[in-house]
Amino acid sequence: MTTLHLADADATAALGAALARTLPARAVVHLRGDLGAGKTTLARGLLRELGVQGAVRSPTYTLVECYPTAAGEVLHLDLYRIADAAELAFLGVDEAAERARLILVEWPERGGAGLPAADLELRMRIAGRGRDVELVAASASGAAWQAALPAPAPDTGPS
């Protein structure tokens, strides 16, 4: 496990970009954290680095957004509004997951066993003006991905 302090939204997006630059062949990322913890900001930084142009919306209301990229399709889910994990079947997550190179899941605890297992779990929380994030490898691929990330610059700003 690695814990990082992200001083602001730019640092959160930069972590997303670093994850994109070291992306393995296929991966599932579970993004955990309260509202406002930076999950969508991190996803947006990752998607931008993969070349997504235009609006990158939080899928809070659509529940699922698919993004074609040169690196392969990215599936971004926000499960905050689902009441039961059985709703994943109605969303077509299984079909989309089969073709996606990367699956980003916000609020994975609401999807239960209906979700693909995470390779990397990011546990995000508000810390002063910034965010703290714990990166937890949940598979061998996730451990290799985490190890490939560049070492963060020391944070000297206020929390």
Side-chain angles (χ1 to χ4, degrees):
M1 179 174 67
T2 301
T3 302
L4 304 172
H5 179 72
L6 306 171
D8 54 23
D10 288 342
T12 304
L15 175 58
L19 287 164
R21 287 190 296 272
T22 55
L23 184 64
R26 287 186 58 90
V28 177
V29 178
H30 288 180
L31 299 163
R32 297 182 183 273
D34 290 334
L35 290 170
K39 300 178 295 292
T40 300
T41 300
L42 185 133
R44 189 173 290 121
L46 191 154
L47 289 162
R48 290 277 183 242
E49 186 68 21
L50 291 176
V52 174
Q53 309 252 333
V56 176
R57 295 176 298 278
S58 170
T60 300
Y61 295 102
T62 59
L63 303 178
V64 180
E65 292 286 340
C66 294
Y67 296 94
T69 74
E73 187 170 338
V74 178
L75 185 64
H76 184 191
L77 292 88
D78 184 329
L79 304 181
Y80 182 74
R81 294 182 53 232
I82 70 166
D84 188 282
E87 292 179 47
L88 292 175
F90 295 110
L91 297 174
V93 170
D94 286 343
E95 277 182 30
E98 288 178 18
R99 66 179 183 269
R101 174 165 182 202
L102 174 63
I103 303 169
L104 301 169
V105 184
E106 297 186 36
W107 303 95
E109 60 275 12
R110 296 181 184 228
L115 289 175
D119 294 299
L120 193 60
E121 183 174 302
L122 280 68
R123 301 174 186 159
M124 304 178 77
R125 65 184 169 278
I126 298 169
R129 289 185 234 166
R131 306 290 180 266
D132 286 340
V133 60
E134 293 176 348
L135 287 81
V136 181
S139 71
S141 175
W145 190 10
Q146 186 174 343
L149 287 170
D155 179 21
T156 57
S159 293

